[in-house]
Amino acid sequence: MSDTYVLIHGAWHTGELLEPVAQAIRAHGHVVHSPTLAGNRPGDDRSSLGLTEAVQSVVDYIEKHDLQHVRLAGHSYGGMIISKVADLMPHRIARLVYWNAFVPLNGECLNDMVPAHYKGMFDQIAAASGNAVVLPFPVWRDAFINDADAALAQSAYDNLNPQPYKTFTEAVQLNTALAEMMIGKSYLNFQQDAAMPHSMPWHPRLSERLGLFRLVEGQGSHEVCFTNPTLLADKIIEAGRD
Amino acid sequence: MSDTYVLIHGAWHTGELLEPVAQAIRAHGHVVHSPTLAGNRPGDDRSSLGLTEAVQSVVDYIEKHDLQHVRLAGHSYGGMIISKVADLMPHRIARLVYWNAFVPLNGECLNDMVPAHYKGMFDQIAAASGNAVVLPFPVWRDAFINDADAALAQSAYDNLNPQPYKTFTEAVQLNTALAEMMIGKSYLNFQQDAAMPHSMPWHPRLSERLGLFRLVEGQGSHEVCFTNPTLLADKIIEAGRD
Amino acid sequence: MSDTYVLIHGAWHTGELLEPVAQAIRAHGHVVHSPTLAGNRPGDDRSSLGLTEAVQSVVDYIEKHDLQHVRLAGHSYGGMIISKVADLMPHRIARLVYWNAFVPLNGECLNDMVPAHYKGMFDQIAAASGNAVVLPFPVWRDAFINDADAALAQSAYDNLNPQPYKTFTEAVQLNTALAEMMIGKSYLNFQQDAAMPHSMPWHPRLSERLGLFRLVEGQGSHEVCFTNPTLLADKIIEAGRD
């Protein structure tokens, strides 16, 4: 049976960077879209675009392509996006897949869920860079893509783009709390993901905000899209299927 | 060397459902029994049978077959059973294996170890169903057998039987606390077992009540008996051997 | 590219026991040293040697062989050693790898990081054995080498040597806290390592004292040097590379 997947990338990424994962899911007979969010596109005004515009770009994309029964997967920051998209168009969503992703309570912004030392670092960088943030390479290399060798860590880093900081500071308003939303939900957790410190982890700290959810896990870092796209594809299917 | 294993199934299950696991253990040269507990047999009075009768059915089984040096493994609710069986006949037990199983303190019932929302759900179902509980399919599918595809999730569910609720509410009296019991103990934890929420996990929350114990882990859900019986067999042997 | 690794064994071990791991790392083209610490050598006075002498024996070894750009990996107690060696000769160290190892704060001794019941057990054994400690076999078999079969558990145990207790009770003085040290750091965590109880785990409890660090994980016990040296070698390289 062919399912329809929409993959929502994380901060600093683009939909293009998820193409190897998308292709591996397509190899199982599914339809896969991986649009790039407003704010992460070439030429986007990174000083002003926020969560609202990024969410709207996905809503527009789904309506334009008239996608139905969508398995909507979000990575990291993408969890903010899929939460609000589902709130706006629940009838089009078959299942939500949070892949090491933020799960907001009503009224929270992404920064409300990260450790204080990250927020401090982001504040400083944004203030010096026109309200856009880039991740310092040492943090990327050791905390985000810890399972890559040095060459892949560098080449993947070179493909990232500055993140509009407003997407981290703008709160999301949810009409229905995620735990109450009548849509199937999965949390896909890669166990060596250390982008969040394990004393303040993705799972179960954020996953359990989903209420009843399906847990799927794999071995890998936050950036398994670069280090093991085939495994990631298998796990997204395990998380996204009925 | 041939060891003797007795496998004690969990709530809603039967010994028959563990037959694929038993066969995979036998393939390593061991003797394996997997009796069905009183309360889970066809025709059992599910409104009245409790923990005492279920425990006694295992004691009777072991005596009838005159089993010695038993590697006694319990799954989930089966942890209540093996704890009391070992308390009653320690001389027949070579090692206890708790496979994502409850580890009671003296005077506790199973319900004392589950989250409040489970207890509330069970109370409601039992009140409406002659004091027997069935697990709602959505909970089974996403929290218990999260690593199955939809077809296996359904076919396994169709083989479950209603659980006498008294087995969850009757306290166990232990003459010797498990941590003090002079029998080898292992805890076998499947890491994607989300039947207990991971903020209130099987391991180490319950495992450490065993005192000194051997930790064995695998990748899989609470229902790896259906999704990966061969892996389960290997892990039971790793946990149960000297 | 050939890197230089120095492997520092844990308590009760010797450098010789790490030879299978060293060889597997050498097979990838690297240079590997695994000296035996002062205190664990045949004929050492186990009643008097402490952390200072053990650290000095590594400093001397590195200077004598004039090793540069060292990837310095420490196992368990070896974490105490590499922390102080890096503090004394940071210019020679390319990266620190803590493999299920102690990460001390300034002024701490190893015993400050272990559960009270271990400290009580060690105190008793040391008092009865000329201030040296041996690990009781049941603890070794179930909590340290839980993934071995009985024969390997025994043969590995037979190769251990008594540990000078002063190495556990002597505090380490660090001029620079590890989190502030300008050297790359990795934490290698084997998930079934139950030498520390999981309610008081190696990771993240001790790993996060490193500040920014690279997390690498594997499946195995505290004694994966005996049970799976090839996997351990791969993981040390993943942790130790640039």
Side-chain angles (χ1 to χ4, degrees):
Chain A
M1 196 181 96
S2 177
D3 290 328
T4 299
Y5 283 86
V6 176
L7 310 181
I8 304 300
H9 61 79
W12 304 291
H13 291 60
T14 61
E16 210 167 52
L17 293 175
L18 295 180
E19 195 51 34
V21 184
Q23 290 194 15
I25 300 175
R26 285 185 201 113
H28 289 268
H30 303 300
V31 174
V32 188
H33 298 257
S34 63
T36 295
L37 295 167
N40 293 103
R41 298 164 176 168
D44 278 348
D45 179 0
R46 283 162 170 76
S47 69
S48 69
L49 290 174
L51 195 60
T52 301
E53 291 81 7
V55 166
Q56 191 59 44
S57 70
V58 177
V59 168
D60 292 346
Y61 185 95
I62 288 175
E63 286 181 341
K64 179 179 153 197
H65 293 81
D66 194 21
L67 304 179
Q68 309 283 350
H69 302 296
V70 173
R71 319 246 158 199
L72 183 61
H75 179 215
S76 198
Y77 154 63
M80 299 296 290
I81 307 295
I82 67 172
S83 299
K84 183 60 187 172
V85 169
D87 193 52
L88 290 172
M89 39 171 45
H91 50 290
R92 289 189 184 260
I93 312 296
R95 184 170 275 267
L96 294 171
V97 176
Y98 291 80
W99 153 36
N100 290 99
F102 292 97
V103 181
L105 301 177
N106 183 34
E108 278 191 330
C109 68
L110 183 149
N111 266 358
D112 290 333
M113 288 171 264
V114 306
H117 70 273
Y118 268 21
K119 197 180 162 300
M121 179 178 76
F122 293 153
D123 282 347
Q124 271 196 303
I125 296 170
S129 317
N131 214 31
V133 288
V134 293
L135 208 51
F137 182 77
V139 175
W140 168 260
R141 198 278 165 273
D142 276 349
F144 278 64
I145 196 163
N146 34 315
D147 56 349
D149 64 19
L152 177 57
Q154 185 64 58
S155 66
Y157 187 74
D158 293 342
N159 281 316
L160 302 180
N161 70 88
Q163 182 69 18
Y165 194 41
K166 206 174 153 195
T167 60
F168 287 10
T169 59
E170 189 183 335
V172 65
Q173 305 300 332
L174 298 171
N175 296 304
T176 307
L178 288 159
E180 308 303 324
M181 219 179 261
M182 292 290 94
I183 294 176
K185 290 156 245 161
S186 296
Y187 205 93
L188 171 50
N189 180 52
F190 284 89
Q191 293 188 344
Q192 287 74 47
D193 186 325
M196 287 294 113
H198 283 190
S199 57
M200 202 178 154
W202 296 104
H203 168 74
R205 180 179 63 115
L206 298 177
S207 56
E208 290 190 359
R209 295 172 162 199
L210 295 173
L212 178 63
F213 70 98
R214 184 191 306 168
L215 175 67
V216 176
E217 291 193 302
Q219 305 297 311
S221 74
H222 194 62
E223 299 295 334
V224 71
C225 46
F226 296 115
T227 57
N228 202 345
T230 310
L231 174 66
L232 175 55
D234 289 346
K235 293 294 177 179
I236 288 176
I237 292 171
E238 197 179 330
R241 65 189 175 190
D242 280 342
Chain B
M1 197 180 95
S2 176
D3 290 329
T4 298
Y5 283 86
V6 175
L7 310 181
I8 303 300
H9 61 80
W12 303 293
H13 291 60
T14 60
E16 210 166 53
L17 293 175
L18 295 180
E19 195 51 35
V21 184
Q23 290 194 15
I25 299 175
R26 283 184 201 114
H28 289 267
H30 303 300
V31 174
V32 188
H33 298 256
S34 63
T36 295
L37 295 166
N40 294 102
R41 298 166 174 167
D44 277 348
D45 179 1
R46 282 160 171 77
S47 69
S48 69
L49 289 174
L51 195 60
T52 301
E53 291 80 7
V55 165
Q56 191 59 44
S57 71
V58 177
V59 168
D60 291 347
Y61 186 94
I62 288 175
E63 287 181 342
K64 179 179 153 195
H65 293 82
D66 193 20
L67 304 179
Q68 308 283 350
H69 301 296
V70 174
R71 323 252 154 194
L72 182 62
H75 179 215
S76 200
Y77 154 62
M80 298 297 289
I81 307 296
I82 67 172
S83 299
K84 184 59 187 172
V85 170
D87 193 52
L88 290 172
M89 39 170 46
H91 51 289
R92 289 190 184 259
I93 312 296
R95 183 169 276 268
L96 294 171
V97 176
Y98 291 80
W99 151 36
N100 289 101
F102 292 97
V103 182
L105 301 177
N106 184 33
E108 278 191 331
C109 69
L110 183 148
N111 266 358
D112 290 332
M113 289 172 264
V114 305
H117 70 273
Y118 268 21
K119 197 181 161 299
M121 178 178 78
F122 292 153
D123 281 348
Q124 271 197 304
I125 296 171
S129 315
N131 213 31
V133 288
V134 294
L135 208 51
F137 182 77
V139 175
W140 168 260
R141 197 276 164 273
D142 276 349
F144 278 63
I145 197 163
N146 34 315
D147 56 349
D149 64 18
L152 178 56
Q154 186 64 59
S155 66
Y157 187 74
D158 293 342
N159 281 315
L160 302 180
N161 70 88
Q163 182 70 17
Y165 194 41
K166 205 174 154 194
T167 60
F168 287 9
T169 58
E170 188 183 335
V172 65
Q173 305 300 330
L174 298 172
N175 296 303
T176 307
L178 288 159
E180 309 303 323
M181 218 179 263
M182 293 291 94
I183 293 175
K185 291 157 242 161
S186 296
Y187 205 92
L188 169 51
N189 181 51
F190 284 89
Q191 293 188 344
Q192 287 75 48
D193 185 325
M196 287 293 114
H198 283 189
S199 58
M200 202 177 155
W202 296 105
H203 168 75
R205 179 179 63 114
L206 298 177
S207 56
E208 291 191 357
R209 294 173 163 198
L210 294 173
L212 177 64
F213 70 99
R214 184 190 308 169
L215 175 68
V216 175
E217 292 194 302
Q219 304 297 311
S221 74
H222 194 61
E223 298 296 335
V224 71
C225 47
F226 297 115
T227 58
N228 201 345
T230 310
L231 174 66
L232 175 55
D234 289 346
K235 293 294 177 180
I236 288 176
I237 292 171
E238 197 180 329
R241 66 190 174 188
D242 281 340
Chain C
M1 198 179 96
S2 177
D3 290 328
T4 298
Y5 283 86
V6 175
L7 311 182
I8 304 299
H9 62 79
W12 304 292
H13 291 60
T14 59
E16 209 167 53
L17 293 175
L18 295 180
E19 195 50 34
V21 184
Q23 291 194 15
I25 300 176
R26 284 184 202 117
H28 289 268
H30 302 300
V31 174
V32 188
H33 298 256
S34 64
T36 295
L37 295 167
N40 293 102
R41 297 164 176 168
D44 278 347
D45 178 1
R46 282 160 170 78
S47 69
S48 70
L49 289 174
L51 196 58
T52 301
E53 291 80 10
V55 166
Q56 191 59 43
S57 70
V58 177
V59 169
D60 292 347
Y61 185 95
I62 288 175
E63 287 181 341
K64 178 179 153 195
H65 293 81
D66 193 21
L67 303 180
Q68 308 284 349
H69 302 295
V70 173
R71 323 254 153 192
L72 184 61
H75 177 216
S76 201
Y77 154 62
M80 299 296 289
I81 307 294
I82 66 172
S83 298
K84 184 59 187 172
V85 169
D87 194 53
L88 290 172
M89 37 169 49
H91 50 291
R92 288 189 184 261
I93 312 296
R95 184 169 276 268
L96 293 171
V97 176
Y98 291 80
W99 152 36
N100 290 99
F102 292 97
V103 181
L105 301 177
N106 184 33
E108 278 190 333
C109 68
L110 184 148
N111 265 358
D112 290 333
M113 290 172 264
V114 306
H117 69 275
Y118 269 20
K119 196 181 162 300
M121 179 178 76
F122 293 153
D123 282 347
Q124 270 196 304
I125 296 170
S129 316
N131 213 32
V133 287
V134 293
L135 208 52
F137 182 77
V139 175
W140 167 261
R141 198 277 165 273
D142 276 349
F144 279 63
I145 196 163
N146 34 315
D147 56 349
D149 63 19
L152 177 56
Q154 186 65 59
S155 65
Y157 187 73
D158 293 341
N159 281 315
L160 303 179
N161 69 87
Q163 183 68 20
Y165 194 41
K166 205 174 153 194
T167 61
F168 287 10
T169 59
E170 188 184 335
V172 65
Q173 305 300 331
L174 297 172
N175 296 303
T176 308
L178 287 160
E180 309 303 325
M181 219 179 261
M182 293 290 94
I183 294 176
K185 290 155 244 163
S186 296
Y187 205 93
L188 170 51
N189 181 50
F190 284 88
Q191 293 188 344
Q192 288 75 47
D193 185 326
M196 286 295 114
H198 282 190
S199 57
M200 202 179 155
W202 296 105
H203 167 74
R205 179 179 65 113
L206 298 176
S207 56
E208 291 191 358
R209 295 173 162 198
L210 295 174
L212 177 64
F213 70 98
R214 185 190 306 168
L215 175 67
V216 175
E217 292 194 302
Q219 305 297 311
S221 74
H222 194 61
E223 299 296 334
V224 71
C225 46
F226 297 115
T227 57
N228 201 344
T230 310
L231 174 67
L232 174 55
D234 289 346
K235 293 295 177 180
I236 288 177
I237 292 171
E238 197 179 328
R241 65 189 175 188
D242 281 340

Short mmCIF file of all heavy atoms in Angstrom, two decimals, chain A residues 9-20 36 39-42 46 133-135 137 140 145 151-163 223 225-226:
data_model
loop_
_atom_site.label_atom_id
_atom_site.label_comp_id
_atom_site.label_asym_id
_atom_site.label_seq_id
_atom_site.Cartn_x
_atom_site.Cartn_y
_atom_site.Cartn_z
N HIS A 9 11.95 19.37 7.58
CA HIS A 9 13.33 19.44 8.06
C HIS A 9 13.45 20.28 9.34
O HIS A 9 12.54 21.01 9.72
CB HIS A 9 14.22 20.03 6.96
CG HIS A 9 13.84 21.42 6.55
ND1 HIS A 9 14.20 22.54 7.29
CD2 HIS A 9 13.15 21.90 5.49
CE1 HIS A 9 13.74 23.63 6.71
NE2 HIS A 9 13.08 23.27 5.61
N GLY A 10 14.61 20.20 9.96
CA GLY A 10 14.89 20.98 11.15
C GLY A 10 15.55 22.31 10.84
O GLY A 10 15.72 22.68 9.66
N ALA A 11 15.90 23.02 11.91
CA ALA A 11 16.57 24.31 11.76
C ALA A 11 17.89 24.12 11.01
O ALA A 11 18.54 23.08 11.14
CB ALA A 11 16.84 24.91 13.13
N TRP A 12 18.24 25.11 10.21
CA TRP A 12 19.50 25.14 9.45
C TRP A 12 19.50 24.20 8.23
O TRP A 12 20.42 24.23 7.43
CB TRP A 12 20.72 24.83 10.34
CG TRP A 12 20.83 25.73 11.51
CD1 TRP A 12 21.13 27.06 11.50
CD2 TRP A 12 20.66 25.39 12.89
NE1 TRP A 12 21.14 27.57 12.77
CE2 TRP A 12 20.86 26.57 13.65
CE3 TRP A 12 20.35 24.21 13.57
CZ2 TRP A 12 20.75 26.60 15.05
CZ3 TRP A 12 20.25 24.24 14.95
CH2 TRP A 12 20.45 25.43 15.68
N HIS A 13 18.49 23.37 8.13
CA HIS A 13 18.43 22.40 7.04
C HIS A 13 17.54 22.91 5.92
O HIS A 13 16.91 23.97 6.01
CB HIS A 13 17.89 21.06 7.56
CG HIS A 13 18.82 20.33 8.48
ND1 HIS A 13 19.25 20.87 9.65
CD2 HIS A 13 19.39 19.10 8.40
CE1 HIS A 13 20.07 20.01 10.27
NE2 HIS A 13 20.15 18.92 9.53
N THR A 14 17.44 22.11 4.85
CA THR A 14 16.47 22.35 3.78
C THR A 14 15.82 21.02 3.43
O THR A 14 16.31 19.95 3.84
CB THR A 14 17.16 22.86 2.50
OG1 THR A 14 18.10 21.85 2.06
CG2 THR A 14 17.89 24.18 2.72
N GLY A 15 14.75 21.07 2.67
CA GLY A 15 14.11 19.86 2.20
C GLY A 15 15.02 19.05 1.31
O GLY A 15 14.99 17.81 1.32
N GLU A 16 15.85 19.74 0.56
CA GLU A 16 16.79 19.08 -0.34
C GLU A 16 17.73 18.12 0.42
O GLU A 16 18.09 17.06 -0.08
CB GLU A 16 17.62 20.16 -1.03
CG GLU A 16 18.09 19.81 -2.41
CD GLU A 16 18.61 21.08 -3.12
OE1 GLU A 16 19.46 21.79 -2.52
OE2 GLU A 16 18.14 21.37 -4.24
N LEU A 17 18.12 18.54 1.60
CA LEU A 17 19.05 17.72 2.38
C LEU A 17 18.39 16.42 2.86
O LEU A 17 19.08 15.49 3.27
CB LEU A 17 19.58 18.51 3.58
CG LEU A 17 20.50 19.69 3.22
CD1 LEU A 17 20.88 20.49 4.47
CD2 LEU A 17 21.76 19.21 2.51
N LEU A 18 17.06 16.35 2.82
CA LEU A 18 16.36 15.12 3.20
C LEU A 18 16.09 14.21 2.00
O LEU A 18 15.43 13.17 2.13
CB LEU A 18 15.05 15.45 3.92
CG LEU A 18 15.19 16.16 5.27
CD1 LEU A 18 13.83 16.43 5.89
CD2 LEU A 18 16.04 15.31 6.23
N GLU A 19 16.58 14.62 0.84
CA GLU A 19 16.29 13.86 -0.39
C GLU A 19 16.79 12.40 -0.31
O GLU A 19 16.05 11.49 -0.71
CB GLU A 19 16.88 14.59 -1.59
CG GLU A 19 16.37 14.12 -2.95
CD GLU A 19 14.84 14.06 -3.05
OE1 GLU A 19 14.13 14.90 -2.43
OE2 GLU A 19 14.35 13.14 -3.74
N PRO A 20 17.97 12.12 0.23
CA PRO A 20 18.39 10.71 0.35
C PRO A 20 17.42 9.88 1.21
O PRO A 20 17.18 8.71 0.91
CB PRO A 20 19.77 10.80 1.02
CG PRO A 20 20.27 12.18 0.68
CD PRO A 20 19.04 13.05 0.64
N THR A 36 10.99 22.81 1.47
CA THR A 36 11.81 23.67 2.34
C THR A 36 10.92 24.75 2.95
O THR A 36 10.12 25.39 2.26
CB THR A 36 12.95 24.30 1.52
OG1 THR A 36 13.81 23.26 1.07
CG2 THR A 36 13.75 25.29 2.37
N GLY A 39 11.80 30.73 5.35
CA GLY A 39 12.83 31.10 6.32
C GLY A 39 14.15 30.42 6.03
O GLY A 39 15.21 30.93 6.38
N ASN A 40 14.07 29.25 5.39
CA ASN A 40 15.29 28.50 5.06
C ASN A 40 15.57 28.45 3.56
O ASN A 40 16.43 27.70 3.11
CB ASN A 40 15.19 27.07 5.61
CG ASN A 40 15.19 27.03 7.13
OD1 ASN A 40 14.15 26.85 7.75
ND2 ASN A 40 16.35 27.24 7.73
N ARG A 41 14.80 29.26 2.81
CA ARG A 41 14.98 29.25 1.35
C ARG A 41 16.01 30.31 0.96
O ARG A 41 16.16 31.32 1.64
CB ARG A 41 13.64 29.56 0.68
CG ARG A 41 12.57 28.51 0.97
CD ARG A 41 11.18 29.03 0.62
NE ARG A 41 10.17 27.98 0.80
CZ ARG A 41 8.86 28.19 0.80
NH1 ARG A 41 8.38 29.44 0.62
NH2 ARG A 41 8.02 27.20 0.96
N PRO A 42 16.69 30.10 -0.17
CA PRO A 42 17.63 31.11 -0.65
C PRO A 42 16.90 32.45 -0.78
O PRO A 42 15.78 32.50 -1.30
CB PRO A 42 18.05 30.59 -2.03
CG PRO A 42 17.75 29.13 -2.02
CD PRO A 42 16.58 28.95 -1.08
N ARG A 46 15.91 36.58 6.68
CA ARG A 46 16.08 35.84 7.94
C ARG A 46 15.95 36.72 9.18
O ARG A 46 15.92 36.23 10.30
CB ARG A 46 17.42 35.10 7.94
CG ARG A 46 17.34 33.85 7.07
CD ARG A 46 18.67 33.30 6.65
NE ARG A 46 18.54 31.98 6.04
CZ ARG A 46 18.09 31.76 4.81
NH1 ARG A 46 17.68 32.75 4.05
NH2 ARG A 46 18.03 30.52 4.34
N VAL A 133 20.68 32.80 13.31
CA VAL A 133 21.68 32.04 14.07
C VAL A 133 22.31 30.94 13.22
O VAL A 133 21.64 30.30 12.40
CB VAL A 133 21.08 31.41 15.36
CG1 VAL A 133 20.81 32.47 16.41
CG2 VAL A 133 19.82 30.62 15.07
N VAL A 134 23.60 30.77 13.42
CA VAL A 134 24.30 29.61 12.88
C VAL A 134 24.85 28.83 14.07
O VAL A 134 25.08 29.40 15.13
CB VAL A 134 25.45 30.00 11.93
CG1 VAL A 134 24.92 30.65 10.66
CG2 VAL A 134 26.45 30.92 12.62
N LEU A 135 25.01 27.56 13.87
CA LEU A 135 25.51 26.70 14.94
C LEU A 135 27.04 26.70 14.87
O LEU A 135 27.59 26.44 13.80
CB LEU A 135 24.94 25.29 14.70
CG LEU A 135 24.70 24.35 15.85
CD1 LEU A 135 23.89 24.96 16.97
CD2 LEU A 135 24.01 23.10 15.31
N PHE A 137 30.68 25.38 14.71
CA PHE A 137 31.11 24.07 14.23
C PHE A 137 31.42 23.08 15.35
O PHE A 137 31.02 21.91 15.26
CB PHE A 137 32.30 24.18 13.26
CG PHE A 137 32.71 22.85 12.73
CD1 PHE A 137 31.98 22.21 11.72
CD2 PHE A 137 33.81 22.16 13.26
CE1 PHE A 137 32.34 20.96 11.24
CE2 PHE A 137 34.17 20.90 12.79
CZ PHE A 137 33.44 20.31 11.78
N TRP A 140 28.20 21.57 16.52
CA TRP A 140 27.70 20.71 15.46
C TRP A 140 28.44 19.37 15.43
O TRP A 140 27.84 18.31 15.43
CB TRP A 140 27.87 21.42 14.11
CG TRP A 140 27.68 20.56 12.91
CD1 TRP A 140 28.64 19.99 12.13
CD2 TRP A 140 26.42 20.16 12.32
NE1 TRP A 140 28.08 19.26 11.11
CE2 TRP A 140 26.73 19.36 11.21
CE3 TRP A 140 25.08 20.43 12.64
CZ2 TRP A 140 25.72 18.81 10.40
CZ3 TRP A 140 24.09 19.86 11.84
CH2 TRP A 140 24.42 19.07 10.74
N ILE A 145 26.36 15.84 15.23
CA ILE A 145 26.67 14.81 14.22
C ILE A 145 27.81 13.93 14.74
O ILE A 145 28.76 13.60 14.03
CB ILE A 145 26.94 15.45 12.84
CG1 ILE A 145 26.86 14.41 11.71
CG2 ILE A 145 28.25 16.23 12.82
CD1 ILE A 145 26.72 14.99 10.31
N ALA A 151 35.21 14.28 7.82
CA ALA A 151 34.91 14.78 6.48
C ALA A 151 33.41 14.99 6.29
O ALA A 151 32.97 16.02 5.77
CB ALA A 151 35.45 13.80 5.43
N LEU A 152 32.61 14.01 6.71
CA LEU A 152 31.16 14.15 6.58
C LEU A 152 30.63 15.25 7.50
O LEU A 152 29.73 16.02 7.12
CB LEU A 152 30.47 12.82 6.90
CG LEU A 152 28.93 12.83 6.87
CD1 LEU A 152 28.40 13.30 5.51
CD2 LEU A 152 28.37 11.44 7.19
N ALA A 153 31.19 15.36 8.69
CA ALA A 153 30.77 16.43 9.61
C ALA A 153 30.97 17.79 8.93
O ALA A 153 30.10 18.67 9.01
CB ALA A 153 31.56 16.35 10.91
N GLN A 154 32.08 17.95 8.24
CA GLN A 154 32.37 19.23 7.59
C GLN A 154 31.49 19.45 6.36
O GLN A 154 30.93 20.54 6.18
CB GLN A 154 33.85 19.27 7.19
CG GLN A 154 34.30 20.61 6.62
CD GLN A 154 34.20 21.73 7.65
OE1 GLN A 154 34.82 21.64 8.71
NE2 GLN A 154 33.40 22.76 7.38
N SER A 155 31.36 18.45 5.52
CA SER A 155 30.59 18.65 4.28
C SER A 155 29.12 18.89 4.59
O SER A 155 28.46 19.72 3.94
CB SER A 155 30.77 17.46 3.33
OG SER A 155 30.20 16.28 3.88
N ALA A 156 28.58 18.21 5.58
CA ALA A 156 27.19 18.45 5.97
C ALA A 156 27.04 19.86 6.52
O ALA A 156 26.08 20.58 6.20
CB ALA A 156 26.73 17.41 7.00
N TYR A 157 27.99 20.28 7.33
CA TYR A 157 27.95 21.63 7.91
C TYR A 157 27.94 22.69 6.82
O TYR A 157 27.24 23.71 6.93
CB TYR A 157 29.17 21.82 8.82
CG TYR A 157 29.17 23.11 9.61
CD1 TYR A 157 28.32 23.28 10.71
CD2 TYR A 157 30.04 24.15 9.29
CE1 TYR A 157 28.34 24.45 11.45
CE2 TYR A 157 30.07 25.33 10.04
CZ TYR A 157 29.22 25.47 11.12
OH TYR A 157 29.22 26.63 11.86
N ASP A 158 28.70 22.46 5.78
CA ASP A 158 28.80 23.44 4.68
C ASP A 158 27.48 23.61 3.95
O ASP A 158 27.30 24.59 3.22
CB ASP A 158 29.90 23.01 3.70
CG ASP A 158 31.29 23.07 4.34
OD1 ASP A 158 31.44 23.75 5.37
OD2 ASP A 158 32.22 22.42 3.81
N ASN A 159 26.55 22.66 4.12
CA ASN A 159 25.26 22.75 3.44
C ASN A 159 24.15 23.36 4.30
O ASN A 159 23.01 23.47 3.85
CB ASN A 159 24.82 21.35 2.99
CG ASN A 159 25.53 20.92 1.73
OD1 ASN A 159 25.66 21.71 0.79
ND2 ASN A 159 26.01 19.69 1.70
N LEU A 160 24.48 23.74 5.52
CA LEU A 160 23.47 24.34 6.39
C LEU A 160 23.26 25.81 6.01
O LEU A 160 24.09 26.41 5.35
CB LEU A 160 23.90 24.23 7.85
CG LEU A 160 24.16 22.81 8.37
CD1 LEU A 160 24.58 22.86 9.83
CD2 LEU A 160 22.95 21.90 8.19
N ASN A 161 22.13 26.37 6.45
CA ASN A 161 21.87 27.78 6.20
C ASN A 161 21.43 28.47 7.49
O ASN A 161 20.88 27.82 8.39
CB ASN A 161 20.83 27.95 5.07
CG ASN A 161 19.44 27.52 5.46
OD1 ASN A 161 18.66 28.31 6.00
ND2 ASN A 161 19.11 26.24 5.22
N PRO A 162 21.70 29.78 7.60
CA PRO A 162 21.36 30.50 8.84
C PRO A 162 19.87 30.42 9.15
O PRO A 162 19.03 30.51 8.25
CB PRO A 162 21.78 31.95 8.54
CG PRO A 162 22.76 31.86 7.41
CD PRO A 162 22.31 30.68 6.59
N GLN A 163 19.57 30.25 10.44
CA GLN A 163 18.18 30.07 10.87
C GLN A 163 17.61 31.40 11.37
O GLN A 163 18.21 32.04 12.25
CB GLN A 163 18.15 29.03 12.01
CG GLN A 163 16.76 28.70 12.52
CD GLN A 163 15.92 27.92 11.51
OE1 GLN A 163 16.46 27.35 10.56
NE2 GLN A 163 14.63 27.94 11.69
N GLU A 223 21.73 13.82 13.55
CA GLU A 223 21.88 14.07 12.12
C GLU A 223 21.97 12.79 11.31
O GLU A 223 22.72 12.69 10.34
CB GLU A 223 23.10 14.97 11.89
CG GLU A 223 23.00 16.33 12.58
CD GLU A 223 21.86 17.21 12.03
OE1 GLU A 223 21.45 17.04 10.86
OE2 GLU A 223 21.36 18.08 12.79
N CYS A 225 20.09 11.81 9.25
CA CYS A 225 19.75 12.08 7.84
C CYS A 225 21.00 12.14 6.97
O CYS A 225 20.95 11.82 5.79
CB CYS A 225 18.93 13.36 7.70
SG CYS A 225 19.57 14.77 8.63
N PHE A 226 22.12 12.53 7.57
CA PHE A 226 23.38 12.53 6.84
C PHE A 226 24.17 11.23 7.05
O PHE A 226 24.82 10.74 6.14
CB PHE A 226 24.28 13.69 7.30
CG PHE A 226 23.70 15.05 7.02
CD1 PHE A 226 23.35 15.90 8.06
CD2 PHE A 226 23.52 15.48 5.71
CE1 PHE A 226 22.81 17.16 7.81
CE2 PHE A 226 22.99 16.74 5.45
CZ PHE A 226 22.63 17.58 6.50
#
